[in-house]
Amino acid sequence: MSETLLAFFKAMADESRLRIIGLLAQGERSVQELARALDLKEPTVSHHLAILRGLGLLTVRAEGTTRWHVLDHAALEGLSKRVLQSATAPPPRGADVAEDKLLQGFVDRDGTLKQIPASRKKRAAVLRWLMRAFASGRRYSESEINTLLQEHHWDSATLRRELVGHNMLARKDRVYWRLPETDWKSGSAP
Amino acid sequence: MSETLLAFFKAMADESRLRIIGLLAQGERSVQELARALDLKEPTVSHHLAILRGLGLLTVRAEGTTRWHVLDHAALEGLSKRVLQSATAPPPRGADVAEDKLLQGFVDRDGTLKQIPASRKKRAAVLRWLMRAFASGRRYSESEINTLLQEHHWDSATLRRELVGHNMLARKDRVYWRLPETDWKSGSAP
DNA sequence: CGTCTAAATAGATGCCTATCGAAATGCAAG
DNA sequence: CTTGCATTTCGATAGGCATCTATTTAGACG
């Protein structure tokens, strides 16, 4: 998934390949034609075409010894849409593998917390996930905290109390801040 | 325009920067935090942040000596949309500067030919633009020609005849092919 | 002003890859 | 089978860029 993202951007991050895409969007072209149009040698063009083929962006048709390449508009559009969606997606879930499955039960794909888990262990996992919204070293007002939490669940007050109870957030006066992750184990039950 | 496109893809074509974007999508982070999270040195992170700032993707807030960076979601989404639109756009008009203005009067943004120009000079310009759909060296059946032309105008028959009359397409039996551009000047009136 | 910390800049190094020439492959035609 | 052409594969080179160390700038605090 994420590999495709990187691969896609790397493929598009080259001027020659962008120009090739432009030409192949207009119609079929042979390697020769492309080489002449771009002022490159055939091996170079072949190299670029291989990369674009690897992403499934091209359709090839052999006619004798020459190969006619053309852009697969649908493939490009599809790939782009998927890439953009994941690139501009709202707060993504963690890269952890262990917790991820657990979270999928309680967190919607758009980042909405469907329900606050009753089980202490599961609740802790969800709270850890919520902590991704808070940077360490920064101080937050209570209203800031609520705004951030409400993006995931309506009951920001409960979540805020839970976070403090699990030693993930600390509070003094009306100011909150993130505690180091090493403290999170020794939570006193709320 | 096209520079922005390349710059955007180059900026996104790096794993470290993608991870930085991921982190800054969740909330504010300092350079230190990012360096620790990514296992990189501060100068490296600083370098990446400068590139992302250059594209206007980040918002920075100074607090003492530390700078809190955060992703500007709107900017990313806007840039992405624009980039994708131009990357997946239908048959683009020429890179010529001279003809381009002329074409804008007859060709819609989506590539539809609104009207076949009556003036011979303007008609020739439009026909030249249509020829971008045809590769040299390839042979086309009449139905292929019609299919390609109908993407731009319903009256493919007239367009086909005009293209032959202007020495842009040649015809023998029922097969058509593109003529070299040097022939296009000496058109015998249809 | 001197010191401490956070970040930016400068300069050096190493990896990745776009590009090329040369050689190999594949296909068509005599 | 041999010849010829279009393309791919191979190996080498060079330029770009991510990353590092070392240094400089800038703010906070006494």
Side-chain angles (χ1 to χ4, degrees), chain A residues 10 14 16-17 41 43-44 47-48 65:
Chain A
K10 282 197 171 174
D14 180 272
S16 298
R17 282 194 287 271
K41 300 299 174 184
T44 305
H47 163 69
H48 290 309
T65 84

Side-chain angles (χ1 to χ4, degrees), chain A residues 75-155:
Chain A
L76 175 56
E77 197 155 342
L79 224 192
S80 306
K81 285 235 174 79
R82 267 183 292 132
V83 160
L84 269 249
Q85 206 158 15
S86 70
T88 66
R93 252 163 305 162
D96 289 74
V97 185
E99 290 198 356
D100 217 50
K101 283 184 184 172
L102 200 163
L103 287 172
Q104 294 194 0
F106 294 95
V107 181
D108 247 338
R109 216 174 331 145
D110 66 352
T112 305
L113 182 55
K114 290 181 285 194
Q115 181 192 354
I116 302 179
S119 140
R120 177 170 179 78
K121 187 172 177 183
K122 295 181 182 177
R123 201 164 61 242
V126 168
L127 294 173
R128 270 197 298 279
W129 169 70
L130 283 170
M131 284 305 292
R132 308 174 122 279
F134 301 99
S136 68
R138 159 133 196 239
R139 298 163 66 200
Y140 296 85
S141 70
E142 188 163 296
S143 69
E144 275 183 298
I145 299 269
N146 288 336
T147 302
L148 285 169
L149 291 177
Q150 277 168 10
E151 287 187 5
H152 303 291
H153 193 276
W154 60 270
D155 191 359

Side-chain angles (χ1 to χ4, degrees), chain A residues 20 31 41-51 53:
Chain A
I20 287 178
V31 176
K41 300 299 174 184
E42 280 92 345
T44 305
V45 172
S46 202
H47 163 69
H48 290 309
L49 290 175
I51 291 175
R53 273 199 312 266

Side-chain angles (χ1 to χ4, degrees), chain B residues 111-135:
Chain B
T112 303
L113 183 54
K114 290 181 285 194
Q115 182 194 354
I116 302 180
S119 141
R120 176 171 180 77
K121 186 172 178 184
K122 294 182 182 176
R123 202 163 60 242
V126 168
L127 294 172
R128 269 196 298 280
W129 168 70
L130 283 170
M131 285 304 293
R132 308 175 120 279
F134 301 98

Side-chain angles (χ1 to χ4, degrees), chain A residues 142 145-146 149 155-165 169 171 176:
Chain A
E142 188 163 296
I145 299 269
N146 288 336
L149 291 177
D155 191 359
S156 56
T158 293
L159 290 175
R160 176 164 40 76
R161 259 179 271 119
E162 287 282 338
L163 289 171
V164 173
L169 283 185
R171 165 183 171 157
Y176 294 76

